[in-house]
Amino acid sequence: MHRCALHRVRDKRYDLPLLHVRALRKSFGTTEVLRGIDLKVLPQELVFIIGPSGSGKSTLLRCCNRLEEPTSGAIMFDGVDLMARATDINAMRRRIGMVFQSFNLYPHMTALGNVTLALRKVVRKSRADAKTLGMAALDRVGLAGKAKVLSRRIVRRPAAARRDRARAGARAGRNCCSTSRPPRSIRSWSARCLPSCASSRPPA
């Protein structure tokens, strides 16, 4: 685990952990994934959890807002016991951002629509306010120009990418021995995957 702290104003409030995990355990059947994890994260502190695949990194993060229910242990966020029955976990989740490994986008919605959906439905922002915040977020990651593009046209999933590449290779195989030369990118692909056909033409 690696830590680095941003510049913090000297204030006693910053000495108290924003997130405090104690003796956290999580089992899936007979497999114990988390074995008594203790973790403290101070306000404005960055904590990086590094480890091999399957070591429990994602499980730990998902337990921190109870997307996974811990088997045992305590989780405090900003002084609130997330494991207590009286805690409104949905209200607390609004304060805990999660970035998932998979895209989890609605393919029929635009990039802006995906970004602003939670702002409108969960936080109850007006459509205008949500759009302002959403455009700022898209601009921050260089996607402001894709705001009105459907998400399925922005995100290429691996299976679709493989199919597209296979179709490109098939087209290259049909064309590489003809008089019409395919684009350079397709020629380079066919030269690797269709050597018997592509070798009849000198490289460009």
Side-chain angles (χ1 to χ4, degrees):
M1 186 179 298
H2 178 72
R3 295 173 177 269
C4 65
L6 302 178
H7 175 71
R8 293 199 292 265
V9 179
R10 284 295 178 184
D11 191 318
K12 290 184 178 180
R13 290 175 298 175
Y14 291 100
D15 294 331
L16 299 175
L18 181 64
L19 175 67
H20 192 185
V21 176
R22 299 193 306 273
L24 188 69
R25 292 182 177 271
K26 174 64 181 178
S27 297
F28 294 97
T30 58
T31 303
E32 190 174 34
V33 179
L34 302 179
R35 304 174 183 176
I37 302 297
D38 295 319
L39 172 66
K40 289 183 180 181
V41 180
L42 299 176
Q44 299 188 23
E45 182 181 31
L46 302 179
V47 178
F48 301 86
I49 302 172
I50 303 171
S53 178
S55 60
K57 304 182 301 296
S58 296
T59 300
L60 171 59
L61 294 177
R62 290 171 64 86
C63 282
C64 286
N65 69 349
R66 287 177 53 194
L67 289 176
E68 290 285 357
E69 285 294 340
T71 303
S72 63
I75 304 172
M76 303 288 293
F77 180 79
D78 200 15
V80 178
D81 183 358
L82 297 189
M83 300 296 289
R85 290 186 177 182
T87 298
D88 184 345
I89 190 61
N90 289 324
M92 296 305 298
R93 283 172 179 159
R94 296 171 193 164
R95 303 176 56 197
I96 304 173
M98 297 287 289
V99 179
F100 297 93
Q101 292 176 343
S102 55
F103 298 110
N104 292 317
L105 298 176
Y106 290 105
H108 65 287
M109 298 178 65
T110 64
L112 181 62
N114 272 280
V115 171
T116 58
L117 181 62
L119 292 171
R120 293 188 293 108
K121 299 297 185 180
V122 179
V123 188
R124 301 297 182 183
K125 293 282 187 182
S126 68
R127 189 173 293 272
D129 288 344
K131 181 179 180 180
T132 299
L133 293 171
M135 287 302 300
L138 290 174
D139 183 62
R140 194 179 307 128
V141 295
L143 287 175
K146 302 288 187 179
K148 296 183 179 180
V149 178
L150 292 177
S151 62
R152 66 171 175 264
R153 296 183 179 178
I154 300 175
V155 177
R156 284 292 186 90
R157 299 190 181 278
R162 285 195 296 270
R163 288 196 296 271
D164 289 347
R165 188 174 184 182
R167 284 195 286 266
R171 288 195 299 270
R174 290 194 298 269
N175 295 333
C176 67
C177 290
S178 65
T179 54
S180 61
R181 303 183 70 182
R184 181 180 296 273
S185 60
I186 297 180
R187 286 204 310 275
S188 64
W189 192 93
S190 63
R192 292 194 300 273
C193 298
L194 303 170
S196 59
C197 183
S199 60
S200 62
R201 184 180 301 279

